[in-house]
Amino acid sequence: MLAILLLPEFSELEAALALEAARRLEYPAYTVAKGRKGTPALAGSVWTPTYAFPAAPPPEALLIPGAKRPGRMARDPSYVAFVEEVWEGLEAVFLGFNAHLFLAEVGRLPSRVAAPGEVAQALTKQGYQVADGSFHREAKVYTTLGGLSLLKALEDWAQKAIEL
């Protein structure tokens, strides 16, 4: 299962791309958030997550869409607890346009990443190395430039899973 973590003010585009990719790959997916009430998104829509943290089934993959202030959400103990609880069982983690900042705050971002402009600059200042390309995989973490590059990362992971 693919869990899509809905941080407040998340990117609808990235969440929708992930859900559509999962549907096309015939891979079960769900959205998850701190609670079951509506989670506001960047463009103004409000999404009701499929599960709240305590009730979510264990995912095999986690996708974190970009969000307005992802690093700030990493200071919320409930988000950190969810990531820590599922981390060991994850085969893959996908990061949207700036979700790197969330994973960096949680202490799970690999040292080499693909990241867009301002995010790349911020991460470089923190000691991370920026890789070329629209996405980069290190261990189980796929860092991306966001948007359609997130879709390319999902397709790369799905292709590798088929080959196994």
Side-chain angles (χ1 to χ4, degrees):
M1 293 188 119
L2 171 66
I4 300 162
L5 178 59
L6 303 181
L7 300 174
E9 298 181 276
F10 67 94
S11 167
E12 294 106 316
L13 171 68
E14 292 178 348
L17 280 172
L19 288 169
E20 180 61 16
R23 185 190 67 77
R24 287 179 181 227
L25 295 167
E26 298 180 359
Y27 195 78
Y30 63 87
T31 54
V32 62
K34 185 175 181 176
R36 283 274 297 135
K37 63 182 181 177
T39 302
L42 275 173
S45 66
V46 177
W47 288 32
T48 302
T50 311
Y51 297 102
F53 294 150
E60 294 157 358
L62 177 66
L63 186 136
I64 307 172
K68 192 166 185 179
R69 292 179 291 272
R72 185 179 65 140
M73 298 313 346
R75 294 183 212 117
D76 183 320
S78 58
Y79 287 98
V80 175
F82 174 74
V83 170
E84 292 301 326
E85 180 181 322
V86 300
W87 189 263
E88 293 307 315
L90 294 173
E91 295 173 16
V93 177
F94 302 91
L95 302 178
F97 73 94
N98 68 350
H100 314 59
L101 303 173
F102 174 83
L103 214 57
E105 282 289 322
V106 173
R108 296 287 187 171
L109 189 66
S111 61
R112 189 164 170 80
V113 300
E118 290 179 15
V119 176
Q121 291 172 359
L123 292 173
T124 300
K125 288 178 184 175
Q126 294 177 36
Y128 293 93
Q129 297 176 331
V130 178
D132 291 330
S134 64
F135 71 87
H136 175 74
R137 180 180 183 173
E138 190 163 316
K140 66 172 107 182
V141 179
Y142 279 88
T143 53
T144 77
L145 302 181
L148 292 176
S149 65
L150 190 57
L151 183 57
K152 291 177 186 176
L154 284 162
E155 290 170 346
D156 181 77
W157 175 66
Q159 185 61 40
K160 285 180 171 54
I162 291 169
E163 292 170 1
L164 295 177

